[in-house]
Amino acid sequence: MAALAQTITPELRLWIIAQAEAGCRPEDVLKAMQASGWAEDVAIAALEATLTDRLAELRPGQAAVPDSAATALPEPDLAGAPSVLQAEGHAVRVLTTMRHPRVVVFGGLLSDAECEQLMALSRPRLERSKTVDNATGGDEINASRTSDGMFFERGETALITRIEARIAALLRWPVNHGEGLQILRYRPGAEYRPHHDYFDPVHPGTAKILERGGQRLGTLVMYLNTPEGGGATTFPDVGLEVAPVRGNAVFFSYDRAHPSTRTLHGGAPVTAGEKWVATKWLRQGVFV
Ligand code: PD2
Ligand code: ZN
């Protein structure tokens, strides 16, 4: 590949750092590099290498943020294109699969009773949802996320333990690499604007977040009810919309913390009734 002959000159390195420090989004820097003739994969590698080195320079003594593709990812066993998977004795239907982004839609992952119980257990503990504050790695209230939410501890109840074991078997990823289950309730008009679930290495708060189990590699959004209107999970890069249906779930994974994974996704506004979901995020290492 001729493109691989492109190298990161000192001038290019300085230019990339200047763009990042001026607040340019990595995807815009990538676009500019592509416009000047860089092949996408080579430009991504150059960007990642430069920004990771820069972070290491700015934080001497701390490990650099992992920059390359993850060697292993959560992934259901879809060899032979099965229409049903067995997970801890529970039959889960495979409804839709997509390669890039890696998306799998499951049917019947949770029973109606499990959905009801999760809603009832979480309802008294719901608070206005927060998002990660990129500067500090802490939480902040954010207008782009107008839901209410809460987190269960991993293994908090027998119900949660059973669901977590089922997810681990389905996605072939250890229970202790999962964050605690998050419950979200969207009221009419509430939405979750498109975002990525990985932690962007360019943000200063990311190093602190990564101390608790490394990067996120995958997301499983489980629908606890069927809203009367709206509330699809959308993937704007590829024009995919997943309808929220009680008991079903959408899984997607990302092998690097980069928009080229095409995992930009959002929760479309709920137009009637409420929407309830449970989200399980899967980390690279043990989440503590
Ligand atoms: O509720 C959703 O559909 C949704 C959309 C985007 C949930 C999440 N992200 C999430 O929990 O990360
Ligand atoms: Zn998300």
Side-chain angles (χ1 to χ4, degrees), residues 182 184 186 192 195 197 221 233 265-267 275 277 279 281:
Q182 178 198 238
L184 290 180
Y186 302 78
Y192 196 172
H195 59 274
D197 281 355
V221 178
T233 303
H265 66 287
K275 172 188 172 191
V277 300
T279 303
W281 285 292

Side-chain angles (χ1 to χ4, degrees):
M1 269 204 297
L4 286 176
Q6 294 173 314
T7 53
I8 314 176
T9 60
E11 292 76 24
L12 176 66
R13 183 174 184 279
L14 287 174
W15 178 81
I16 291 173
I17 292 169
Q19 303 306 304
E21 291 182 351
C24 282
R25 297 180 312 159
E27 49 267 47
D28 294 332
V29 181
L30 175 62
K31 273 194 200 129
M33 289 176 74
Q34 286 179 273
S36 62
W38 282 70
E40 186 185 36
D41 52 348
V42 184
I44 289 168
L47 262 175
E48 286 186 345
T50 304
L51 295 174
T52 304
D53 287 353
R54 178 67 177 148
L55 272 181
E57 273 171 20
L58 293 173
R59 302 165 190 280
Q62 282 190 28
V65 175
D67 64 330
S68 52
T71 49
L73 288 173
E75 172 72 5
D77 184 2
L78 298 178
S83 58
V84 178
L85 291 170
Q86 292 297 328
E88 295 280 295
H90 189 96
V92 181
R93 294 189 303 284
V94 179
L95 300 181
T96 303
T97 69
M98 185 182 254
R99 259 280 147 216
H100 190 210
R102 183 36 148 180
V103 176
V104 182
V105 182
F106 295 112
L109 175 55
L110 299 177
S111 69
D112 289 355
E114 287 168 337
C115 293
E116 284 296 342
Q117 287 168 38
L118 286 175
M119 290 164 68
L121 273 174
S122 59
R123 191 186 298 274
R125 290 162 59 182
L126 293 175
E127 290 178 12
R128 173 74 193 268
S129 295
K130 296 176 177 143
T131 45
V132 171
D133 178 346
N134 288 321
T136 64
D139 294 331
E140 63 177 3
I141 298 274
N142 192 317
S144 67
R145 195 178 187 194
T146 46
S147 51
D148 302 310
M150 58 80 66
F151 278 90
F152 287 109
E153 293 287 318
R154 219 171 39 216
E156 187 175 321
T157 69
L159 169 73
I160 305 276
T161 302
R162 185 171 78 231
I163 293 171
E164 288 176 335
R166 187 179 306 156
I167 294 170
L170 182 69
L171 300 178
R172 299 185 293 170
W173 205 249
V175 167
N176 67 5
H177 289 217
E179 298 181 28
L181 207 57
Q182 178 198 238
I183 306 293
L184 290 180
R185 175 186 61 189
Y186 302 78
R187 294 203 143 116
E191 64 179 317
Y192 196 172
R193 294 206 194 122
H195 59 274
H196 295 97
D197 281 355
Y198 56 73
F199 304 111
D200 192 333
V202 167
H203 292 309
T206 294
K208 182 167 177 283
I209 296 168
L210 296 182
E211 285 168 13
R212 298 181 73 192
Q215 258 301 352
R216 286 178 176 163
L217 301 178
T219 304
L220 179 73
V221 178
M222 295 166 277
Y223 305 106
L224 303 183
N225 76 329
T226 305
E228 283 164 46
T233 303
T234 62
F235 293 81
D237 290 342
V238 290
L240 175 65
E241 296 200 356
V242 179
V245 173
R246 173 175 268 187
N248 290 4
V250 58
F251 164 71
F252 51 99
S253 64
Y254 21 100
D255 68 355
R256 60 188 69 213
H258 195 275
S260 62
T261 56
R262 301 187 190 165
T263 55
L264 184 70
H265 66 287
V270 173
T271 54
E274 291 183 346
K275 172 188 172 191
W276 289 71
V277 300
T279 303
K280 172 66 81 178
W281 285 292
L282 304 163
R283 296 284 191 114
Q284 210 159 19
V286 175
F287 180 76
V288 282

